[in-house]
Amino acid sequence: MNEMETYRRRVEEAATFLTARFRERPEIILIMGTGLGGLAAHLDNPQTIPYAEIPHFPRSTVTSHAGNLLFGTLGGKRVAALQGRFHYYEGYSARELTFPVRVLSQLGAGMMLVSNAAGGLNPAYAPGSLMILRDHINLIPDNPLRGINIDAWGPRFPDLSAAYDPELIDRIMACAAKLGLANMECGVYVAIPGPSLETPAETRYLRQIGADAVGMSTVPEVIVARHAGLKVLGVSVVSNVNDPDNQQPILLEEIIAQTEQTAARLVRLLLEFFKEL
Ligand code: HPA
């Protein structure tokens, strides 16, 4: 069996397992990034499955990420939530790390909402801002669709002219305005491979190529979701803002603390958004 056939069989086995476990199909896939696992506490009627119990699921190697799949409802919508994601810097290929998204997309969800913690590059941003993703730049030297295309899953050359759904962006920005949330931004996310953080020269470069925030995730998952035909909405918690002319050390503890502090605002926004969806 070739590599893609093996991958396909694994995806199908995991999807079959989850279909047997949960009778109701999720409408929305929710990916909870660094510091955002607390969103899980807001799910109604949650059912939890550790990743380790799901056939072929990867294992998280990062302590700031739990490893659970949750099914439940949020604002009345059926959600499959990934509490803990996988990153390129952990050693996974882009295809391996997007395995959960591929599996959940097979269960019939029509939308994916992805969150992450990111570093601000736009000097107008403040730490603790929420940035809705308008677009992305992939600097991770891999693509989850590299290799033989499985036509049943999506097209060989998926269009990314509107990777982040413009209507969903308008709606969530309208929700933020309605709630009167401060520091709401809409910008471009650039994904770097990590795990080392940016040098001042790299920060300057990432800003010059058009990015407003930088992180080490999200783009591979978005590519798979778009390939599978899901509408995508992305939101970054801007945990720190990097000034290349006065670069301060970027500390993981501070990223997590700031993200957790901002998570409450994100939860309010998402609950309102899901209610109105
Ligand atoms: N750089 C990259 N990833 C990040 C950062 C950053 O400054 N902050 C949070 N995730």
Side-chain angles (χ1 to χ4, degrees):
M1 219 189 281
N2 74 36
E3 204 191 336
M4 272 317 285
E5 281 168 0
T6 304
Y7 187 79
R8 181 183 193 161
R9 186 178 48 73
R10 289 183 175 159
V11 166
E12 286 167 356
E13 284 173 10
T16 302
F17 171 87
L18 293 174
T19 306
R21 193 76 182 252
F22 302 108
R23 272 173 291 114
E24 298 214 88
R25 302 280 73 80
E27 299 166 274
I28 298 168
I29 301 172
L30 180 62
I31 303 184
M32 299 181 278
T34 304
L36 298 169
L39 290 180
H42 297 269
L43 285 186
D44 295 314
N45 306 313
Q47 289 175 274
T48 304
I49 307 187
Y51 291 164
E53 291 179 18
I54 307 170
H56 314 298
F57 245 57
R59 307 288 162 85
S60 185
T61 68
V62 196
T63 51
S64 53
H65 286 252
N68 294 308
L69 173 63
L70 292 96
F71 277 62
T73 59
L74 194 62
K77 301 291 176 306
R78 290 194 306 279
V79 169
L82 291 162
Q83 191 182 35
R85 62 141 63 87
F86 306 98
H87 305 82
Y88 182 76
Y89 64 72
E90 293 176 79
Y92 296 111
S93 70
R95 188 197 296 152
E96 288 167 341
L97 72 90
T98 53
F99 182 88
V101 174
R102 182 62 79 184
V103 170
L104 293 176
S105 74
Q106 300 291 298
L107 300 189
M111 179 189 155
M112 180 176 84
L113 196 155
V114 54
S115 65
N116 60 53
L121 300 166
N122 185 329
Y125 288 7
S129 298
L130 294 176
M131 184 187 88
I132 303 301
L133 276 63
R134 182 161 45 79
D135 204 348
H136 74 222
I137 298 170
N138 185 23
L139 293 186
I140 296 175
D142 194 7
N143 189 299
L145 307 180
R146 185 165 177 272
I148 292 166
N149 187 56
I150 298 179
D151 295 337
W153 285 355
R156 170 75 290 189
F157 300 107
D159 173 51
L160 292 185
S161 61
Y164 301 85
D165 191 76
E167 199 190 316
L168 294 177
I169 293 173
D170 286 350
R171 283 200 202 181
I172 199 158
M173 291 305 284
C175 285
K178 185 176 161 190
L179 294 173
L181 294 187
N183 294 332
M184 274 304 299
E185 312 288 354
C186 190
V188 175
Y189 175 90
V190 59
I192 57 162
S196 51
L197 289 141
E198 307 76 63
T199 63
E202 287 165 345
T203 297
R204 215 169 273 119
Y205 160 76
L206 296 172
R207 181 66 187 144
Q208 276 175 15
I209 64 172
D212 295 294
V214 53
M216 302 173 189
S217 68
T218 301
V219 166
E221 292 106 312
V222 170
I223 292 171
V224 167
R226 291 302 299 140
H227 184 243
L230 277 71
K231 290 184 177 175
V232 172
L233 183 63
V235 54
S236 292
V237 173
V238 178
S239 54
N240 51 292
V241 177
N242 304 331
D243 173 1
D245 298 320
N246 179 27
Q247 182 87 53
Q248 303 299 315
I250 306 169
L251 305 171
L252 179 69
E253 306 77 63
E254 288 174 12
I255 291 176
I256 292 173
Q258 178 60 252
T259 308
E260 284 173 347
Q261 217 179 308
T262 309
R265 257 169 56 241
L266 179 59
V267 166
R268 270 181 72 205
L269 177 61
L270 295 187
L271 287 176
E272 179 69 19
F273 174 74
F274 278 54
K275 207 173 74 193
E276 294 200 354
L277 207 60

PDB file of all heavy atoms in Angstrom, residues 168-188:
ATOM      1  N   LEU A 168     -18.248  35.340   7.123  1.00  0.00           N
ATOM      2  CA  LEU A 168     -18.032  35.026   8.543  1.00  0.00           C
ATOM      3  C   LEU A 168     -17.197  36.112   9.220  1.00  0.00           C
ATOM      4  O   LEU A 168     -17.427  36.459  10.383  1.00  0.00           O
ATOM      5  CB  LEU A 168     -17.360  33.656   8.698  1.00  0.00           C
ATOM      6  CG  LEU A 168     -18.189  32.447   8.254  1.00  0.00           C
ATOM      7  CD1 LEU A 168     -17.378  31.160   8.387  1.00  0.00           C
ATOM      8  CD2 LEU A 168     -19.489  32.337   9.052  1.00  0.00           C
ATOM      9  N   ILE A 169     -16.235  36.666   8.474  1.00  0.00           N
ATOM     10  CA  ILE A 169     -15.418  37.762   9.030  1.00  0.00           C
ATOM     11  C   ILE A 169     -16.318  38.957   9.344  1.00  0.00           C
ATOM     12  O   ILE A 169     -16.252  39.526  10.446  1.00  0.00           O
ATOM     13  CB  ILE A 169     -14.299  38.181   8.038  1.00  0.00           C
ATOM     14  CG1 ILE A 169     -13.279  37.056   7.883  1.00  0.00           C
ATOM     15  CG2 ILE A 169     -13.625  39.483   8.500  1.00  0.00           C
ATOM     16  CD1 ILE A 169     -12.223  37.310   6.807  1.00  0.00           C
ATOM     17  N   ASP A 170     -17.182  39.317   8.396  1.00  0.00           N
ATOM     18  CA  ASP A 170     -18.089  40.458   8.619  1.00  0.00           C
ATOM     19  C   ASP A 170     -18.975  40.206   9.838  1.00  0.00           C
ATOM     20  O   ASP A 170     -19.183  41.090  10.655  1.00  0.00           O
ATOM     21  CB  ASP A 170     -18.986  40.693   7.389  1.00  0.00           C
ATOM     22  CG  ASP A 170     -18.211  41.325   6.244  1.00  0.00           C
ATOM     23  OD1 ASP A 170     -17.059  41.754   6.478  1.00  0.00           O
ATOM     24  OD2 ASP A 170     -18.742  41.377   5.125  1.00  0.00           O
ATOM     25  N   ARG A 171     -19.465  38.966   9.933  1.00  0.00           N
ATOM     26  CA  ARG A 171     -20.368  38.658  11.041  1.00  0.00           C
ATOM     27  C   ARG A 171     -19.683  38.743  12.388  1.00  0.00           C
ATOM     28  O   ARG A 171     -20.248  39.257  13.352  1.00  0.00           O
ATOM     29  CB  ARG A 171     -20.915  37.240  10.883  1.00  0.00           C
ATOM     30  CG  ARG A 171     -22.000  37.150   9.860  1.00  0.00           C
ATOM     31  CD  ARG A 171     -22.752  35.891  10.168  1.00  0.00           C
ATOM     32  NE  ARG A 171     -23.470  35.428   9.010  1.00  0.00           N
ATOM     33  CZ  ARG A 171     -24.228  34.347   9.021  1.00  0.00           C
ATOM     34  NH1 ARG A 171     -24.312  33.619  10.117  1.00  0.00           N
ATOM     35  NH2 ARG A 171     -24.865  33.979   7.953  1.00  0.00           N
ATOM     36  N   ILE A 172     -18.470  38.200  12.477  1.00  0.00           N
ATOM     37  CA  ILE A 172     -17.820  38.212  13.795  1.00  0.00           C
ATOM     38  C   ILE A 172     -17.374  39.633  14.156  1.00  0.00           C
ATOM     39  O   ILE A 172     -17.430  40.026  15.327  1.00  0.00           O
ATOM     40  CB  ILE A 172     -16.670  37.176  13.894  1.00  0.00           C
ATOM     41  CG1 ILE A 172     -16.359  36.912  15.373  1.00  0.00           C
ATOM     42  CG2 ILE A 172     -15.428  37.619  13.148  1.00  0.00           C
ATOM     43  CD1 ILE A 172     -15.664  35.611  15.667  1.00  0.00           C
ATOM     44  N   MET A 173     -16.979  40.415  13.151  1.00  0.00           N
ATOM     45  CA  MET A 173     -16.615  41.808  13.442  1.00  0.00           C
ATOM     46  C   MET A 173     -17.861  42.575  13.913  1.00  0.00           C
ATOM     47  O   MET A 173     -17.763  43.432  14.800  1.00  0.00           O
ATOM     48  CB  MET A 173     -15.980  42.478  12.210  1.00  0.00           C
ATOM     49  CG  MET A 173     -14.592  41.953  11.828  1.00  0.00           C
ATOM     50  SD  MET A 173     -13.317  41.988  13.137  1.00  0.00           S
ATOM     51  CE  MET A 173     -12.884  43.726  13.186  1.00  0.00           C
ATOM     52  N   ALA A 174     -19.010  42.252  13.333  1.00  0.00           N
ATOM     53  CA  ALA A 174     -20.259  42.896  13.757  1.00  0.00           C
ATOM     54  C   ALA A 174     -20.607  42.500  15.197  1.00  0.00           C
ATOM     55  O   ALA A 174     -21.044  43.334  15.996  1.00  0.00           O
ATOM     56  CB  ALA A 174     -21.395  42.528  12.801  1.00  0.00           C
ATOM     57  N   CYS A 175     -20.381  41.221  15.536  1.00  0.00           N
ATOM     58  CA  CYS A 175     -20.615  40.770  16.920  1.00  0.00           C
ATOM     59  C   CYS A 175     -19.707  41.523  17.882  1.00  0.00           C
ATOM     60  O   CYS A 175     -20.137  41.937  18.961  1.00  0.00           O
ATOM     61  CB  CYS A 175     -20.316  39.273  17.067  1.00  0.00           C
ATOM     62  SG  CYS A 175     -21.556  38.216  16.358  1.00  0.00           S
ATOM     63  N   ALA A 176     -18.436  41.682  17.493  1.00  0.00           N
ATOM     64  CA  ALA A 176     -17.474  42.381  18.360  1.00  0.00           C
ATOM     65  C   ALA A 176     -17.917  43.822  18.576  1.00  0.00           C
ATOM     66  O   ALA A 176     -17.846  44.344  19.697  1.00  0.00           O
ATOM     67  CB  ALA A 176     -16.083  42.336  17.740  1.00  0.00           C
ATOM     68  N   ALA A 177     -18.409  44.450  17.500  1.00  0.00           N
ATOM     69  CA  ALA A 177     -18.874  45.842  17.609  1.00  0.00           C
ATOM     70  C   ALA A 177     -20.089  45.912  18.526  1.00  0.00           C
ATOM     71  O   ALA A 177     -20.192  46.792  19.383  1.00  0.00           O
ATOM     72  CB  ALA A 177     -19.189  46.391  16.220  1.00  0.00           C
ATOM     73  N   LYS A 178     -20.998  44.936  18.352  1.00  0.00           N
ATOM     74  CA  LYS A 178     -22.207  44.903  19.172  1.00  0.00           C
ATOM     75  C   LYS A 178     -21.871  44.780  20.659  1.00  0.00           C
ATOM     76  O   LYS A 178     -22.498  45.404  21.509  1.00  0.00           O
ATOM     77  CB  LYS A 178     -23.064  43.719  18.712  1.00  0.00           C
ATOM     78  CG  LYS A 178     -24.412  43.617  19.382  1.00  0.00           C
ATOM     79  CD  LYS A 178     -25.204  42.476  18.767  1.00  0.00           C
ATOM     80  CE  LYS A 178     -26.326  42.048  19.698  1.00  0.00           C
ATOM     81  NZ  LYS A 178     -26.957  40.811  19.231  1.00  0.00           N
ATOM     82  N   LEU A 179     -20.850  43.942  20.956  1.00  0.00           N
ATOM     83  CA  LEU A 179     -20.435  43.750  22.351  1.00  0.00           C
ATOM     84  C   LEU A 179     -19.554  44.898  22.851  1.00  0.00           C
ATOM     85  O   LEU A 179     -19.208  44.949  24.028  1.00  0.00           O
ATOM     86  CB  LEU A 179     -19.663  42.432  22.500  1.00  0.00           C
ATOM     87  CG  LEU A 179     -20.444  41.132  22.254  1.00  0.00           C
ATOM     88  CD1 LEU A 179     -19.495  39.940  22.271  1.00  0.00           C
ATOM     89  CD2 LEU A 179     -21.534  40.947  23.296  1.00  0.00           C
ATOM     90  N   GLY A 180     -19.159  45.771  21.927  1.00  0.00           N
ATOM     91  CA  GLY A 180     -18.293  46.888  22.300  1.00  0.00           C
ATOM     92  C   GLY A 180     -16.893  46.448  22.705  1.00  0.00           C
ATOM     93  O   GLY A 180     -16.257  47.068  23.555  1.00  0.00           O
ATOM     94  N   LEU A 181     -16.388  45.358  22.093  1.00  0.00           N
ATOM     95  CA  LEU A 181     -15.060  44.850  22.459  1.00  0.00           C
ATOM     96  C   LEU A 181     -13.968  45.795  21.959  1.00  0.00           C
ATOM     97  O   LEU A 181     -13.978  46.214  20.803  1.00  0.00           O
ATOM     98  CB  LEU A 181     -14.825  43.457  21.859  1.00  0.00           C
ATOM     99  CG  LEU A 181     -15.696  42.313  22.371  1.00  0.00           C
ATOM    100  CD1 LEU A 181     -15.208  40.993  21.796  1.00  0.00           C
ATOM    101  CD2 LEU A 181     -15.685  42.238  23.896  1.00  0.00           C
ATOM    102  N   ALA A 182     -13.039  46.101  22.839  1.00  0.00           N
ATOM    103  CA  ALA A 182     -11.908  46.955  22.460  1.00  0.00           C
ATOM    104  C   ALA A 182     -10.827  46.104  21.795  1.00  0.00           C
ATOM    105  O   ALA A 182     -10.835  44.877  21.895  1.00  0.00           O
ATOM    106  CB  ALA A 182     -11.358  47.635  23.701  1.00  0.00           C
ATOM    107  N   ASN A 183      -9.900  46.758  21.139  1.00  0.00           N
ATOM    108  CA  ASN A 183      -8.736  46.100  20.536  1.00  0.00           C
ATOM    109  C   ASN A 183      -9.101  44.925  19.626  1.00  0.00           C
ATOM    110  O   ASN A 183      -8.521  43.857  19.724  1.00  0.00           O
ATOM    111  CB  ASN A 183      -7.773  45.613  21.630  1.00  0.00           C
ATOM    112  CG  ASN A 183      -7.156  46.762  22.407  1.00  0.00           C
ATOM    113  OD1 ASN A 183      -7.004  47.854  21.877  1.00  0.00           O
ATOM    114  ND2 ASN A 183      -6.834  46.523  23.659  1.00  0.00           N
ATOM    115  N   MET A 184     -10.076  45.137  18.736  1.00  0.00           N
ATOM    116  CA  MET A 184     -10.428  44.129  17.732  1.00  0.00           C
ATOM    117  C   MET A 184      -9.728  44.506  16.442  1.00  0.00           C
ATOM    118  O   MET A 184      -9.868  45.622  15.962  1.00  0.00           O
ATOM    119  CB  MET A 184     -11.929  44.140  17.459  1.00  0.00           C
ATOM    120  CG  MET A 184     -12.770  43.314  18.378  1.00  0.00           C
ATOM    121  SD  MET A 184     -12.321  41.571  18.493  1.00  0.00           S
ATOM    122  CE  MET A 184     -12.549  41.001  16.821  1.00  0.00           C
ATOM    123  N   GLU A 185      -8.974  43.565  15.909  1.00  0.00           N
ATOM    124  CA  GLU A 185      -8.234  43.823  14.677  1.00  0.00           C
ATOM    125  C   GLU A 185      -8.611  42.779  13.636  1.00  0.00           C
ATOM    126  O   GLU A 185      -9.220  41.760  13.960  1.00  0.00           O
ATOM    127  CB  GLU A 185      -6.715  43.740  14.935  1.00  0.00           C
ATOM    128  CG  GLU A 185      -6.224  44.519  16.148  1.00  0.00           C
ATOM    129  CD  GLU A 185      -6.248  46.021  15.927  1.00  0.00           C
ATOM    130  OE1 GLU A 185      -6.543  46.477  14.795  1.00  0.00           O
ATOM    131  OE2 GLU A 185      -5.980  46.758  16.907  1.00  0.00           O
ATOM    132  N   CYS A 186      -8.249  43.043  12.394  1.00  0.00           N
ATOM    133  CA  CYS A 186      -8.474  42.089  11.311  1.00  0.00           C
ATOM    134  C   CYS A 186      -7.222  42.175  10.452  1.00  0.00           C
ATOM    135  O   CYS A 186      -6.896  43.252   9.952  1.00  0.00           O
ATOM    136  CB  CYS A 186      -9.735  42.516  10.543  1.00  0.00           C
ATOM    137  SG  CYS A 186     -10.314  41.306   9.372  1.00  0.00           S
ATOM    138  N   GLY A 187      -6.473  41.078  10.357  1.00  0.00           N
ATOM    139  CA  GLY A 187      -5.188  41.202   9.680  1.00  0.00           C
ATOM    140  C   GLY A 187      -4.658  39.897   9.117  1.00  0.00           C
ATOM    141  O   GLY A 187      -5.347  38.881   9.083  1.00  0.00           O
ATOM    142  N   VAL A 188      -3.407  39.959   8.699  1.00  0.00           N
ATOM    143  CA  VAL A 188      -2.747  38.842   8.012  1.00  0.00           C
ATOM    144  C   VAL A 188      -1.852  38.091   9.006  1.00  0.00           C
ATOM    145  O   VAL A 188      -1.039  38.701   9.712  1.00  0.00           O
ATOM    146  CB  VAL A 188      -1.900  39.365   6.830  1.00  0.00           C
ATOM    147  CG1 VAL A 188      -1.108  38.229   6.180  1.00  0.00           C
ATOM    148  CG2 VAL A 188      -2.782  40.067   5.802  1.00  0.00           C
TER     149      VAL A 188
END
